[in-house]
Amino acid sequence: MTQADWKPRVEGIIDILPQEIDEFESEASRFQAGEFDPIAFQSFRLKQGVYGQRQADVQMMRIKVPFGGLKADQLDALGEVAARYAPLNKGHVTTRENFQYHHIPLADTAAFMRVLADVGLSTREACGNTVRNVTGCDMAGVCADEPFDVTPYAAAYSRYFVRHPFTQALPRKWKTAFSGCERDCSITAIHDMGFIPKVVDGKKGFKLLTGGGTSIMPRIAPTLAEFVPVEEYLKYTEAAIRVFHRSDELRKNKMKARIKFFIDRIGMDEFRGMVEAEMQQQWAQKSFDPTSLLFLDDESADAPSLDGNYSVKAHGGEYDKWVESNVRSQKQAGYKAVTVKLPLGDIQAEQFPQLAELSRKYAGSRARITQQQNLTFRWVPEAALSELYDELNKIGLGDSGAHEISDVVSCPGTDSCKLGITSSMGLGRVVGEALEGVDSSDPLIRKMHVKMSGCPNGCGQHHIADIGFHGAAAKAPGGQVPAYEMFLGGSYEDGDTRIGLRVKTKVPAKRVPEALKVVMGHYQKNRNEGEPFKDYVARVGPETFEPLLADFKDLPELGRDTIEQYMDWDKTIIYKLERGEGECSV
């Protein structure tokens, strides 16, 4: 088959246009031949999900997974590109429910896209000043508390705004989340636009939030509308995007060009008035009924039989811990949702097809990735849990503690990101290992969350962790050392989203695990009975922890016996701050 004859084997949530990949391949060749302006090409490739790294001549590829939904064949293809094109031999699940692959040569990017496009996965508008991937709750459709399944509407939203003329050159990116119920499991409160399902007088609709975000000036999203029927949620969003698009003053400073800055400056009442006025314009007088765009997938039709013949064997306490932390009940009787704890969001190339086979056998050939960098199998018969646990252990993914304190979240940091200041993945590995030994008999400690980002931008969602870190550089007698700012008392569960409070000290990277234990020990010793960490921090204030951490910033002179303190985690050279220009705002 010639390139001109190629077309995807499977339709996905986002339409795959083969000519777009052909054009990208042609334009990439022009760029490599010196015939395409580098700045113009940068903007062009970002819309196709191809992102520059701090390492020269290689790219990060970002694949959108709308609402986190995957099928078994897609897992196979994700493993194929990891093995064929990714030098690190792995894929990485992000807090935006994307997959990222690093160190991909530009010459391989089009072939990479075609492998994934063949199974309905797209990189279109995964980067750039566009409507980014739409995230969702991994329990949508199986949650007992949901008013209705938001999955079809999240998919329709993704379909509606991809390639939309008003979303190709926004002042900055636009992030969206659909939660399944009022517990806001998808953390709509930190998004540019968030949807929480409601039923009013028998009619389906959404509560709309807009203007949330982390990074500099973190904000909790205020409410745009208490209830919008499903026939109008796309219209409301387009009106907000049109207002955002024509806010030319935002384009003057890309660092402050997110919608949260605009709303913070003019107030929600004025912004709401602008959105309502926009919906009086001629473009908004058509029907916005999403029916033709809905993604309708009857997962129950493919669910494994509850009467299947599954092996059961006696397990020790580790299995019980796994069931307690990684298994949840569905509203469909007899079925369970099983979360696979992915170490720092990584899946090795050989694990992708193994997960694909497990999804076929135990989960109706489906899976969902999550904002907490894990993967969830739904529709698992309760009788199959023992067998599935054994199979996960065989492939190295049977750890308990999903969404507990040892389930650390991190962005890639200086491993690949131009904006990275520190090796957050290196720190994440060390902290995760340290937290595996935490006293699991203390439920208040066990339910805490630790997250880290390699810079202030918040890709690791450190602002909403119980204990969050973002990368910084600090002065020491022998020069610079990698360090972290610490945020305490953040939250994102049960509809209680809070931005953590900053502790006014920097902790050197090599002393973070020790500092973490000091903070947790102080909390255990001084909390009130049953008091969660976030409430303890709110009561005593972040300044309480500053004297406890003051000594951590003292470092020795640089010498043979102290040189490791001048190196970042997983690095073998003396630290030096090297921060390039990121591409998020290009």
Side-chain angles (χ1 to χ4, degrees), residues 77-87 89-90 101 348-350 352:
L78 289 162
E80 181 180 344
V81 294
R84 186 185 297 183
Y85 301 111
N89 203 48
K90 68 179 183 179
Y101 293 77
Q348 302 303 312
E350 65 274 12
F352 278 105

Side-chain angles (χ1 to χ4, degrees), residues 322 326 338-343 346-348 351-352 354-355 358 375 388-389 391-400:
W322 178 80
N326 295 40
V338 175
T339 298
V340 180
K341 182 181 174 184
L342 303 175
D346 286 348
I347 303 177
Q348 302 303 312
Q351 290 173 326
F352 278 105
Q354 292 167 333
L355 288 168
L358 294 183
L375 179 144
L388 176 56
Y389 174 72
E391 294 300 319
L392 286 169
N393 274 305
K394 288 178 183 178
I395 65 172
L397 293 174
D399 287 348
S400 61

Side-chain angles (χ1 to χ4, degrees), residues 303-304 306 310 330 334-338 362-364 377-385 388:
L306 293 174
Y310 302 106
Q330 297 187 188
Y335 288 103
K336 302 291 184 179
V338 175
Y362 301 106
F377 290 134
R378 297 126 60 89
W379 300 98
V380 178
E382 185 170 11
L385 289 176
L388 176 56

Side-chain angles (χ1 to χ4, degrees), residues 20-300:
E20 281 185 350
I21 302 178
D22 295 345
E23 180 188 16
F24 182 84
E25 186 171 41
S26 174
E27 297 297 76
S29 296
R30 278 212 309 130
F31 169 74
Q32 291 182 305
E35 300 170 1
F36 201 140
D37 174 73
I39 300 301
F41 180 70
Q42 187 180 57
S43 179
F44 170 75
R45 66 170 163 74
L46 284 170
K47 284 193 196 118
Q48 298 298 337
V50 183
Y51 199 95
Q53 293 188 195
R54 65 168 50 217
Q55 296 85 3
D57 302 322
V58 291
Q59 314 295 320
M60 180 266 283
M61 299 290 293
R62 182 179 290 156
I63 300 95
K64 293 169 82 171
V65 185
F67 62 83
L70 289 166
K71 295 191 175 180
D73 288 352
Q74 293 174 331
L75 284 166
D76 281 328
L78 289 162
E80 181 180 344
V81 294
R84 186 185 297 183
Y85 301 111
L88 298 179
N89 203 48
K90 68 179 183 179
H92 176 70
V93 176
T94 77
T95 58
R96 297 289 313 144
E97 295 176 2
N98 298 297
F99 274 100
Q100 290 183 177
Y101 293 77
H102 297 91
H103 305 282
I104 311 298
L106 183 62
D108 289 341
T109 52
F112 183 107
M113 291 178 190
R114 290 191 183 99
V115 172
L116 296 177
D118 198 38
V119 293
L121 288 174
S122 176
T123 63
R124 175 73 195 197
E125 292 163 43
C127 307
N129 297 322
T130 63
V131 173
R132 298 289 187 87
N133 189 46
V134 178
T135 61
C137 174
D138 63 333
M139 292 293 285
V142 300
C143 174
D145 297 326
E146 64 184 10
F148 58 91
D149 183 5
V150 302
T151 302
Y153 300 96
Y157 181 103
S158 184
R159 287 170 166 170
Y160 183 83
F161 286 110
V162 72
R163 304 184 183 91
H164 190 289
F166 275 90
T167 66
Q168 302 307 293
L170 294 169
R172 281 294 304 276
K173 55 194 170 186
W174 183 275
K175 295 181 178 180
T176 307
F178 282 75
S179 277
C181 69
E182 289 186 348
R183 289 200 304 275
D184 197 14
C185 297
S186 292
I187 331 175
T188 61
I190 61 166
H191 284 75
D192 297 289
M193 182 67 77
F195 298 88
I196 298 176
K198 298 175 70 173
V199 174
V200 175
D201 297 329
K203 194 169 187 61
K204 293 179 181 178
F206 296 99
K207 178 180 179 179
L208 272 57
L209 291 80
T210 189
T214 57
S215 190
I216 59 172
M217 201 188 86
R219 286 291 184 272
I220 301 299
T223 299
L224 175 61
E226 282 293 342
F227 181 76
V228 172
V230 293
E231 292 81 9
E232 296 186 356
Y233 80 108
L234 296 175
K235 179 170 72 173
Y236 264 80
T237 305
E238 181 169 345
I241 286 176
R242 283 173 177 255
V243 171
F244 180 46
H245 185 276
R246 68 168 179 261
S247 302
D248 290 336
E249 68 272 21
L250 293 178
R251 299 179 189 272
K252 297 174 183 177
N253 183 354
K254 290 292 186 180
M255 293 296 292
K256 295 185 177 181
R258 299 290 293 276
I259 191 66
K260 66 179 179 180
F261 290 100
F262 187 60
I263 293 174
D264 192 69
R265 179 166 59 82
I266 69 172
M268 177 49 77
D269 288 342
E270 185 172 343
F271 181 75
R272 185 182 297 109
M274 295 173 74
V275 169
E276 291 172 351
E278 185 65 34
M279 288 190 293
Q280 301 306 310
Q281 301 302 312
Q282 185 60 40
W283 69 267
Q285 305 316 305
K286 65 180 182 180
S287 170
F288 284 82
D289 187 328
T291 300
S292 63
L293 297 171
L294 296 179
F295 173 70
L296 302 175
D297 182 26
D298 184 6
E299 295 184 11
S300 64

